[in-house]
Amino acid sequence: MFHVQQTYKIVSSDIVIIPVFQEKELISSEIQKKFSGLESVFCSIKKNEDFEGKYGEVAYYHTAIPKYPRVLFVGMGKREETNNEIFRRIGGIVRKKCVAFKVADASFVLFDTMCKDAAIPLLQGFLLASYAYDRYRNRTKKHTKAFKSLYFITLHAPTQEEKNKIRETLHVIEGVFIARNLVNTPANDLTPQIFAKETQRFKKMKRMKVTVIDEKKLKKLGAGAILGVGQGSKHPPLFVILEYRSKKKNAKTIGLVGKGITFDSGGIHLKPVGHIETMKMDMSGAASVFGLFHILSKEELPVNIVAVMVIAENAIGPSSIRPGDVIKSYDGQTIEVTNTDAEGRLVVADALSYLQDRYKNLDAIVDIATLTGGCIVALGYDITGLLTNSEDLHRQLQAASEKTGEKIWQLPLDKDLLKTVKGEFTDLQNFTRNVKAMAIMGGAFLHAFIKNNIKWAHLDIAGTAWAETNQEYKSRGATGCPVRLMWEFLKVYR
Ligand code: BES
Ligand code: ZN
Ligand code: ZN
């Protein structure tokens, strides 16, 4: 990550970025006073009829002043219509312009009367848009000029709180990038064993504990659901338990579960062309937990966390689990595997049971899983599905969602649909024909593993963990969703 600093002194930089609302007169006094010598540029932008300050519009000028040789005006749209998400997107747009103009440093002008609270979302968008996955580029490296420094120019000297927020934002986005890198890594270079090895870095961090439960131990524990899913792969399944102990006395403990299928072939219910190609992303839930722990290694939280990353490969082969096979989950329920491609709910179920069995003091559990294609049909690629038994958790996650722009929408844990996962001759089955509410059925299956009404929320990120198109601050591939949302959620959890 590059250097980010808020300052009231003008620093020399390759480009000065000046946000302009559609009510153009707002560029006037303060900025003009501060940037002496730019009178002619301000005069031109006011006269420029092609630039109205509409959202995303840009106008670019060269100047004769060495300290700020280039000026970019960026349209913010109507002032009353702006919000944090607009700022985030503008940040992304500006970042892409910086690449196009090959600049190494930029000064973003933020005057108190213009957009006081915009710095953080602008920074988030700018940083998020800086991501590129180039691990495998050898001969085709993109020769983009390295970006070095971003300055926010404000009228006042930065307060400690503002500095803290910038530092935190950098750490959060690092966490997002780590999640994105893991998700983008192909399954041949991210087997369950490699994943477990990567988590060892948390061993040397303060207040953290890492435990790997390998296949042998899973057998001892009787975690038959994850074992069944993983049995077809030559890379055996495992749990990684990450624990964080807060400094805060009497802090509550939250349980997290991340689905980590390193590749989902569908198993014997093999996925068809068009659906299988991106299935290295089926470990996005576990990757987001990993990203969260990275942030935690740099920033403190007022809650304790116990996270189970449940890692396996859903492979097809002679020892794969068969449709119709019956397995026994960690908590002793029998499950007929009616569809080998509905493997996510099986592995997550065992992790949920393990958490509740081993940690009796959990205040709430949130699982994060790329669980169903049906969630994409219901909510598309920009909205995470939420299923929960707790109105509290719904409210708290919704608040975090509004802060971060990572949208969520609640789907009902309808009583009749809860019944659909009952087995014909077993306790449960993992898929029932003719039930079309796929995302809800997935949630209903997980619900069958929630004991004593503990507060639980399930985030179905099948659509949101992966972007099919380039957007302002998302690029095709892994999005790192919902790291930012979960961080906001945990930060205020009491
Ligand atoms: N990993 C998939 C869900 C998925 C689909 C994630 C598309 C991301 C993009 C999951 O394991 C799966 O295959 N679910 C099936 C369940 C069905 C067989 C009940 C689905 O949604 O089609
Ligand atoms: Zn599947
Ligand atoms: Zn899956």
Side-chain angles (χ1 to χ4, degrees):
M1 215 64 86
F2 41 79
H3 174 68
V4 179
Q5 188 188 343
Q6 184 179 326
T7 164
Y8 66 101
K9 284 193 207 123
I10 292 182
V11 273
S12 163
S13 56
D14 290 347
I15 196 164
V16 173
I17 297 145
I18 303 180
V20 183
F21 290 99
Q22 227 162 305
E23 302 86 353
K24 256 187 176 180
E25 73 280 7
L26 288 170
I27 321 174
S28 57
S29 57
E30 290 171 309
I31 299 181
Q32 300 204 14
K33 253 186 265 156
K34 195 124 176 162
F35 290 90
S36 58
L38 288 186
E39 291 78 10
S40 64
V41 170
F42 286 118
C43 200
S44 317
I45 188 73
K46 275 179 205 153
K47 286 197 206 128
N48 183 346
E49 285 179 4
D50 296 333
F51 181 83
E52 294 175 55
K54 280 191 181 154
Y55 167 79
E57 255 180 10
V58 289
Y60 179 55
Y61 294 89
H62 284 272
T63 80
I65 301 172
K67 207 166 182 187
Y68 22 93
R70 287 176 274 196
V71 178
L72 182 77
F73 293 95
V74 55
M76 308 284 278
K78 291 204 180 107
R79 192 189 177 91
E80 72 271 14
E81 287 172 10
T82 51
N83 54 40
N84 284 351
E85 182 57 18
I86 297 281
F87 293 143
R88 235 172 256 123
R89 291 182 188 187
I90 298 277
I93 292 169
V94 168
R95 177 68 181 101
K96 285 179 187 168
K97 291 289 166 197
C98 287
V99 174
F101 297 148
K102 301 193 174 68
V103 300
D105 39 42
S107 292
F108 209 121
V109 181
L110 279 180
F111 284 91
D112 297 13
T113 53
M114 285 187 77
C115 29
K116 196 169 159 231
D117 304 319
I120 295 303
L122 281 168
L123 176 59
Q124 289 168 342
F126 192 94
L127 293 172
L128 287 168
S130 307
Y131 178 81
Y133 185 64
D134 54 12
R135 171 169 172 183
Y136 293 98
R137 290 187 182 281
N138 280 348
R139 309 283 162 79
T140 54
K141 277 260 186 288
K142 286 187 181 157
H143 293 287
T144 46
K145 192 166 173 181
F147 191 83
K148 294 210 179 81
S149 305
L150 175 67
Y151 303 99
F152 283 109
I153 312 288
T154 47
L155 271 187
H156 61 277
T159 62
Q160 192 54 45
E161 194 193 344
E162 284 170 329
K163 285 185 192 166
N164 291 349
K165 277 194 178 156
I166 288 178
R167 187 206 61 230
E168 181 193 340
T169 303
L170 283 162
H171 290 152
V172 170
I173 305 302
E174 274 173 21
V176 172
F177 284 9
I178 286 175
R180 283 182 174 181
N181 282 342
L182 286 166
V183 173
N184 283 328
T185 304
N188 58 332
D189 278 334
L190 192 64
T191 61
Q193 283 61 42
I194 299 173
F195 197 111
K197 203 166 145 227
E198 290 289 330
T199 63
Q200 298 304 303
R201 72 173 72 165
F202 295 116
K203 273 213 157 120
K204 43 181 194 295
M205 314 280 185
K206 292 198 292 250
R207 319 195 140 270
M208 289 196 190
K209 196 174 146 194
V210 186
T211 317
V212 175
I213 301 187
D214 62 14
E215 194 183 32
K216 210 169 124 202
K217 290 182 200 137
L218 287 172
K219 279 186 183 148
K220 264 201 197 132
L221 290 172
I226 179 177
L227 287 168
V229 169
Q231 74 189 34
S233 171
K234 71 171 180 189
H235 310 290
L238 52 94
F239 279 171
V240 180
I241 321 290
L242 297 180
E243 288 170 83
Y244 168 77
R245 190 137 293 281
S246 173
K247 255 190 197 151
K248 192 178 158 224
K249 288 226 168 70
N250 304 321
K252 289 186 170 161
T253 303
I254 297 212
L256 299 178
V257 173
K259 170 177 171 182
I261 297 293
T262 56
F263 187 75
D264 183 8
S265 70
I268 291 180
H269 277 111
L270 186 64
K271 281 187 184 292
V273 170
H275 293 261
I276 199 169
E277 294 80 357
T278 53
M279 278 302 132
K280 66 177 182 184
M281 63 74 88
D282 211 20
M283 33 57 75
S284 299
S288 66
V289 170
F290 198 118
L292 278 170
F293 270 75
H294 170 80
I295 308 170
L296 265 177
S297 69
K298 311 256 171 137
E299 301 279 331
E300 284 166 8
L301 272 190
V303 285
N304 303 321
I305 299 184
V306 191
V308 181
M309 299 153 121
V310 44
I311 319 288
E313 183 186 16
N314 188 19
I316 182 169
S319 48
S320 292
I321 196 159
R322 290 160 288 249
D325 281 3
V326 175
I327 55 182
K328 194 158 106 196
S329 66
Y330 179 96
D331 78 340
Q333 302 191 73
T334 56
I335 306 164
E336 183 188 358
V337 180
T338 44
N339 194 308
T340 64
D341 195 12
E343 85 299 337
R345 61 202 70 185
L346 298 173
V347 297
V348 172
D350 267 356
L352 288 170
S353 303
Y354 179 85
L355 264 182
Q356 294 167 91
D357 182 39
R358 294 299 174 108
Y359 300 86
K360 298 292 184 199
N361 60 340
L362 296 181
D363 196 62
I365 301 181
V366 181
D367 78 70
I368 308 167
T370 46
L371 209 75
T372 67
C375 192
I376 310 176
V377 177
L379 300 173
Y381 288 104
D382 288 312
I383 307 177
T384 294
L386 164 71
L387 290 112
T388 179
N389 58 4
S390 158
E391 215 16 68
D392 274 355
L393 285 180
H394 177 208
R395 207 175 17 78
Q396 290 163 32
L397 287 163
Q398 186 64 41
S401 157
E402 276 156 28
K403 274 198 201 143
T404 55
E406 295 195 321
K407 292 182 257 189
I408 58 171
W409 195 258
Q410 188 181 19
L411 301 171
L413 274 177
D414 177 82
K415 277 217 172 72
D416 288 321
L417 285 165
L418 285 180
K419 287 184 222 150
T420 60
V421 297
K422 291 226 156 78
E424 264 177 51
F425 66 97
T426 50
D427 299 328
L428 295 164
Q429 56 191 25
N430 70 339
F431 168 72
T432 304
R433 270 180 55 195
N434 297 326
V435 176
K436 300 294 176 204
M438 292 286 202
I440 300 178
M441 193 187 3
F445 186 87
L446 299 181
H447 182 261
F449 294 84
I450 300 300
K451 306 269 147 54
N452 305 326
N453 246 345
I454 182 169
K455 285 193 277 179
W456 158 74
H458 157 61
L459 295 174
D460 192 333
I461 56 166
T464 49
W466 186 263
E468 281 299 332
T469 53
N470 291 319
Q471 293 161 36
E472 285 90 337
Y473 60 81
K474 286 181 200 166
S475 46
R476 204 184 115 74
T479 61
C481 179
V483 171
R484 291 186 298 117
L485 172 122
M486 285 304 293
W487 181 254
E488 262 336 297
F489 165 78
L490 294 167
K491 224 168 75 180
V492 296
Y493 199 92
R494 293 291 184 283

